[in-house]
Every structure is written in structure tokens, then in C-alpha cells.
Amino acid sequence: MTVDPEMTVELEWENAMSSISPRETAADLAAVATLLEMADRLGIVPLLERGEPVTSAELAVAADVPEEGMDGFLATLVAAALVVPTGVKEFRVAEDFADRIHDSGYLTWSLRANQPYVQNPAAFLRDPAAAGAQFRRNGREVAVSSRWIGSQGFYPAATEAILAARPKHIVDLGAGAAGLLIDLLGRLPESTGVALDMSAGACQEAARAARDAGVGERLTVVERPIQSIADDPGPVAGADVIHAGFVFHDIVLEGDVFDRVLRQCREALRPGGIMAITDAVPYASAERERRFSALFTYLHAGFMNVTLPPEEDWLARFRQAGFEQAECVPHRFPGGRLFIATK
Amino acid sequence: MTVDPEMTVELEWENAMSSISPRETAADLAAVATLLEMADRLGIVPLLERGEPVTSAELAVAADVPEEGMDGFLATLVAAALVVPTGVKEFRVAEDFADRIHDSGYLTWSLRANQPYVQNPAAFLRDPAAAGAQFRRNGREVAVSSRWIGSQGFYPAATEAILAARPKHIVDLGAGAAGLLIDLLGRLPESTGVALDMSAGACQEAARAARDAGVGERLTVVERPIQSIADDPGPVAGADVIHAGFVFHDIVLEGDVFDRVLRQCREALRPGGIMAITDAVPYASAERERRFSALFTYLHAGFMNVTLPPEEDWLARFRQAGFEQAECVPHRFPGGRLFIATK
């Protein structure tokens, strides 16, 4: 057996360093999130996420940058284990790419999307209303980082609960780009859905994504705020499942609107139908949740004027709206809860 | 034995969630770094870092915010396990606070201090010189995040090597706020030191910190760039150890300046003295280094016009400057290396 002396040196080196610290988790996560944000700014994440081989030239065109520059960026993504070469100047994302996107979402949401808050805490502590009017978040940064977290953080529990109900018709309130609904309609080929969102951009994106996924004919997109359901329950009529993710906390402070929307949802549901709300409770105290939940709660309360209701409060609100039974299901997103109420 | 039913429910809940994911590492690190950056912006990190109990009122004065606002922020830091209450409105940092600061440094350096680069990669890929002139980093953000990483990431290997040489006189080139030297002089009560840095602010901070640490009379602060040593080796004269951390890579492209500085250092050293350079190599490939090293190398090359020399190159430069022996020591900072050359 021959031993490559260079390989031996390399191994000794790696062992010596591993004895200092086996993984540099913080450095790894920081570097990956930063490189992925740069990829996002270059507009190449959708091309990479397809998971198919893609050339440097194609990515350079998508980013509108010189191919030589894209070569350098891709060499760095290879060095960082985010993509792997599949041919000459051709690459595919690494197998754990979806996990890396998910992890990075927490970093980019916290440190980048919330930047106006993080940079100006004293202004908010002195005069929250004035600071709130002056320092506003960039909607795109919030949307992208939320989508990155959302892929694995927000909705797997909801998906499971909804599929178990074998619904024929599903409504998602505050559907965004309809990621959850498109996934569900793909798995339930006989079912139909309604995606409601107040953002015109999100609705356009939802319609486009549904067409791309081949479920466009079974998905109706409605551009309206969730509050409108209080007076016009049309969009929720006849649903077997009504889902709402991280939107009900926005209407907690709006008088009786929360209760009226929930009541309309209950009345609109078919018998045996379920209402599923994915949302957050304040200051969740479990060890695996407490740090991110503290930040999430604090930024909502002090910087966005959103008071998250505690678990008992969510359950009481279901009872008040006429639901006889409601339960709370654990959830991966720190501080997140899935509340399920049956008609 | 009685069992508290609420406690049982709490435990079941925690177990159920832990089975989903035992730790939310990315969410934890993101939340902690964000809360610490907010604390830094409020100007309360130095007070907290002392490790002594401190009151909400004292912190509110330091941050110039209403005490009620500081109460809310401190409640969040408690919820996030960053501080612990020690009395009525009195707090002390958690025992692992130094580790949390260190971890957070990687996140704030990558995503916050490098923000002008991260937000504008296409501009740099199209025209690096023009983009470099337009998009500049905030010096304070770079300094604070580097100090946070540095505490545990940059210099422990250097400290060990320097102490082993039992030096009577130590010079640090690019000393910043002289953290390394102040630590060394505290452990070597007979020794003296010279802190050289081109930044007036860093020099003022170094002089102040040395006085506070009781080593002010043994530390001379010199406001000069490292390049000046090429023509005037006065500040390095008679040293037993000359250290330089992350500054030599800045002069790699400046013709023969690198060689002339190193030569002057060798000549100025007492017999048996050592030159210790803490710096980085490009694209380190070990698993624990590759991600952060890829980002660090890429940002320096493409955005700061700094080409990091590979390990062999560093060693060759020592030989060229007349050092007979030079070695490379492993190092916690991903991609970091400690080069030690003996006169």
C-alpha cells in the first residue's frame, strides 16, 4: 500500500484543526446565507432551485453580468459546497441545497429583512410610532426570507393535517405566492383551491406559479385582504379546509374583525370541515424555541405593533367563534403553532 | 410523589417538538446575533461584557432611552437566554455570553458589515473598480464584527506561541484597539509593547483600554501604517516578538513593500526572536473551513481587491526576507493560519 505524503499532511492538518473545533457552525451558516443572498440578488436562485444542471453562460444571462464574473462566483459556490460541477462550466445544486436555503432564511430574515429595526432600536424605544413611520422594511426582503424559512419551517405540520382531512376544496387566507396550495393541489388531483392575498404582486406570482405547476385551472386567485371576509365570505364558501398562515396575528388589534372573520369561516365550512391556523405564540419558552421566539415576539410587539396572542387566547377565540373543538399541534418554526378547529 | 399536570403537558410538548428537530441552530444563531447587534446599537454591550450585575436604569442611561423601553428589551434578552436576572430590574450576562458574541461576529461580519457588497454583486461583477468606489463598507460595522470574531477566532494560537517565547518586548503591527497586546502584557508583568495602527480612532481606543487595564505605562501606541516600517523600522526595534494580524494581506499587491517590511522586521528582532503573522489563505478546503473561507476569499478578491497568498507563498516570503525557518500552525478561524518564523 502506498501513501500519498501530501494526503497524509492534509489529513494531519484536518485532524489538528478538528481537535480545536469540529465544526464552525456559526461561520458556516453565515457564509452560506451570505452567498445565497448574493445569488438571490443576482436573480439566479430560481434557476439553481430547479435542481437540473445549468451552465455558467445561462446563469450569466439571467444575472445580466459578464460570464467571466459568473465563473468566479460559481467557483466560490463550489468551494462552499453549495453547488457541484456536472460538466465543463456546468453545475447543479448540492443535495442539501433545500436545507441550506431553509437555514439561511432565518439569518436573512433576522439580520437583513429587519435591518431598519436592527439599526435603529433607540429610535423605536423613544417613539415607536414615529420610528415605525420613518423606518420601514423592504417588502421583497421580507417575502424572500420568509419563503426560505417557510419551505420547511412553517407549513409541514399544516400540510399533514390538511391531507389527512382529504379535502375537495381548500381556501388559503393570506396565501402569498400560493406555495402551500400549489403543493396541496399537486397531491390532491381532484381538489380545487382559492388563494386569497391582499398583495397584487403575490397574486400575480400565485397565478403564474399555479400555471407552471399545471394546477392553474383548479386554483382561483382572489386579491383581497383577510379582513374583507368579515363582511363578504364569498371566497371561503363551501371549503372543506380553510388555512391561514401568519395573517390572523395582524388583525388581533382590529376590534371585532378577528372574531367576525373566524365566525364567517366556521359558517362557510362544510360539515366536518376544519379551520387550520398556522401562527405564533409570544415568548415560547422551550429550549429549542426561546431565542428565535424572543426575537420574533419582540420585533412584532415593539417595532410592528403586533401583539401575538398566547396559546390559550387562540383556543378561546375558536370557542368564541362557535367551534366546539380546537387543538394545538407542535410545529418546527420556533414559537409557531398549528391550531386546528373542527366544525 | 405528586406530578404537576401542567409540567407533564409542558414536557410532552417539548418532547414532541424535540422529535421534530432537537435544535434550531440557524434560528438560534440568527436571533442571538440580531439581539446582540441591537444591544451594540444601543451602546450597552461594553456595560454587559463586564460581567457584573447592571440595572435597567443604568443601561437606559447609557443608551439614552426611556427606562420602560430598556425594561422591555432586557425582558427579551432574558427570554433569549442572553442575560439572567440577579435582582429587581438587575441583570448579568449569561455564562456563555462570550461564546454568543464570538458566534454572532461571523453573522454580523458576513451579512451586515459586508452589506454594500452583498446587496450589489451584479455591479461588482460588471465593473469592480467603479462598484468599489461607489459601495463602501461602514468602518465601525467592520471593526465591531471583527472584534467579536477575534475574541476567540483570530488570536488564541498566536497568544500561545508568543507566551511560549517569554518575550520582554512585543510589537503588534495593525494592532487595532490593542486587545491582543493588552492581554499579553497582563500575563507578562515585566514586558513592554508597541501597538502600531494607521487608524487614529483605533490608537486612541488602544491607549484608553491600556490605561483601563493598568498596562498603560508599558504600552507605546504608534499611529502609522504598516508600510512605513519599510523605510523606518524604529517601532519594531529590539522586539523579541513581532506580531501582525490580518494586515500583511493588504500589502501583497504593493510591489516590494511586503518584502521590505518583513526584512526590516527580521533585522530589528533580537537574536532568537520570532515573527508571527496571523492571516488567511485562499479557499481553504477542509470541511470545517471551506464555506466561510470561500466567502472570505471571494469578498477579498472580487470586492476589496485583496488577493490572499496561499500557504506556500507565505512561507516563501519569509525565506526571501532572510528567515531560515518558518512554520504554519493551525488556527480556529476558518482559512486562518499562524505563520511563525524564527530569527
Side-chain angles (χ1 to χ4, degrees), chain B residues 68-97:
Chain B
E68 193 190 344
M70 186 54 73
D71 287 345
F73 184 61
L74 286 164
T76 297
L77 296 186
V78 170
L82 282 166
V83 307
V84 290
T86 51
V88 179
K89 294 197 179 192
E90 191 192 75
F91 305 88
R92 190 172 53 208
V93 291
E95 289 198 355
D96 62 358
F97 194 74

Side-chain angles (χ1 to χ4, degrees), chain A residues 13 24 76 126 283 332 337, chain B residues 13 24 64 76 283 337:
Chain A
W13 179 255
E24 287 300 333
T76 298
R126 286 177 201 134
Y283 291 111
R332 179 163 175 191
R337 299 291 184 268
Chain B
W13 179 255
E24 287 301 334
D64 191 17
T76 297
Y283 292 111
R337 299 292 184 267

Side-chain angles (χ1 to χ4, degrees), chain A residues 42-60:
Chain A
L42 290 170
I44 62 172
V45 171
L47 273 170
L48 292 172
E49 272 184 327
R50 287 185 195 162
E52 301 298 319
V54 59
T55 66
S56 180
E58 289 165 338
L59 294 166

Side-chain angles (χ1 to χ4, degrees), chain B residues 107-118:
Chain B
L107 277 69
T108 57
W109 185 83
S110 302
L111 284 162
R112 306 277 306 130
N114 289 311
Q115 169 178 326
Y117 305 155
V118 177

